[in-house]
Amino acid sequence: GANTPRADASGMSAGALRRVATRFEESGAAVTWELAYGCFRRPARAGVFVTGTDTGVGKTLVSACLVRRWQALYWKPLQSGLADEEGDTPTVSRLAGGESTQGQGVRCFPPAGAYQASLSPEAAARAEGVTIDSALLALPMEAPQQPLVVEGAGGLMVPVTDEIMMVDLAQRWGLPVVLVARSGLGTLNHTLLSLEALRARGIAVAGVVLNGPPNPENSRTIAGKGKVRILAEIPHEAELDAPTVERLAALLPPWSEIAGA
């Protein structure tokens, strides 16, 4: 079979290649080949998009751990449910900004849309009589070499507008995805379907973070059948505070491994 050409080799023209193929066929040999093409796009800035297989799988905790581990910036583009909770931006700021950051704190960009109802962004905005303007959902470009952790709302197929889902925003932004999934029963179907949806759109996957009690069998199955790296397995914690997040953050790989993947 073919191999790496010599350093001094020069490529054939299309005409020369046809003549060589014809000579092969005339001598009774057979020539087969496969063609592949791809479109590769460098992200507009350093960072990842954190999404989940469902609501409540631990995206905000993982986002806080990533911010802490990488000393990253943070952006929650769309926030709903503010009638019931403080919101993910102050939560990440509080959890990731421990004392050992030498007082630097966490730089969080404000959401492009924040709504009261615990609904999808589209439904929560509609309940307040507004429509989400997708033009406002542009990646913050401040400090583009510093990692930015972008946390999505719900899972990939959560509606943002009548025409846009969260997965469409992930594709638009072009950041590699960190997929957060439960570790226990039911995670295989949800996780493998989410990976399939991402790859069908050509979205790069940085890896999966499993959240909950250790489950080696599920971890192996997701890594093998999903052809994906398990970035970390985050155990259940009874209490979440800045020291806990600092400890959990050490389970995640350094930014250099994600940036170089």
Side-chain angles (χ1 to χ4, degrees):
N3 209 327
T4 304
R6 300 191 314 271
D8 60 345
S10 58
M12 287 185 180
S13 66
L17 187 57
R18 281 194 295 269
R19 289 193 293 273
V20 169
T22 300
R23 292 279 299 274
F24 266 71
E25 292 174 354
E26 289 174 347
S27 66
V31 179
T32 61
W33 60 88
E34 294 182 1
L35 298 179
Y37 67 93
C39 178
F40 302 92
R41 180 178 62 165
R42 182 182 296 275
R45 61 159 304 132
V48 296
F49 175 64
V50 178
T51 189
T53 56
D54 198 356
T55 298
V57 295
K59 293 190 306 298
T60 302
L61 171 59
V62 171
S63 295
C65 291
L66 292 173
V67 169
R68 177 68 182 177
R69 176 70 162 130
W70 301 338
Q71 293 299 291
L73 307 169
Y74 175 80
W75 185 42
K76 175 82 172 186
L78 296 169
Q79 174 73 66
S80 57
L82 291 176
D84 304 313
E85 59 183 51
E86 65 174 344
D88 295 332
T89 301
T91 299
V92 168
S93 181
R94 172 171 51 81
L95 292 177
E99 293 180 1
S100 60
T101 56
Q102 288 80 43
Q104 295 177 2
V106 177
R107 176 68 191 278
C108 298
F109 295 101
Y115 312 102
Q116 297 298 307
S118 297
L119 301 168
S120 71
E122 178 194 26
R126 187 169 58 244
E128 297 181 21
V130 298
T131 301
I132 295 174
D133 183 357
S134 63
L136 299 177
L137 299 173
L139 282 177
M141 291 307 296
E142 184 174 329
Q145 300 307 313
Q146 184 177 1
L148 171 68
V149 174
V150 181
E151 182 184 349
L156 291 169
M157 295 303 175
V158 167
V160 175
T161 69
D162 286 341
E163 300 178 348
I164 298 176
M165 302 283 199
M166 287 305 306
V167 69
D168 297 309
L169 294 179
Q171 187 174 29
R172 175 193 298 183
W173 292 326
L175 299 176
V177 167
V178 173
L179 179 64
V180 183
R182 292 184 179 87
S183 61
L185 185 65
T187 194
L188 297 181
N189 183 62
H190 294 163
T191 306
L192 296 176
L193 281 175
S194 295
L195 291 170
E196 185 174 301
L198 288 166
R199 287 171 175 150
R201 292 172 178 255
I203 299 172
V205 179
V208 171
V209 175
L210 293 174
N211 197 12
N215 191 316
E217 184 61 33
N218 282 348
S219 180
R220 282 193 298 269
T221 301
I222 290 170
K225 295 189 180 299
K227 297 179 175 60
V228 70
R229 177 183 179 183
I230 304 298
L231 298 176
E233 298 182 51
I234 305 293
H236 173 75
E237 296 288 343
E239 183 178 351
L240 290 178
D241 53 20
T244 302
V245 165
E246 183 174 9
R247 175 168 50 82
L248 295 177
L251 301 174
L252 291 155
W255 170 247
S256 59
E257 290 189 15
I258 303 300

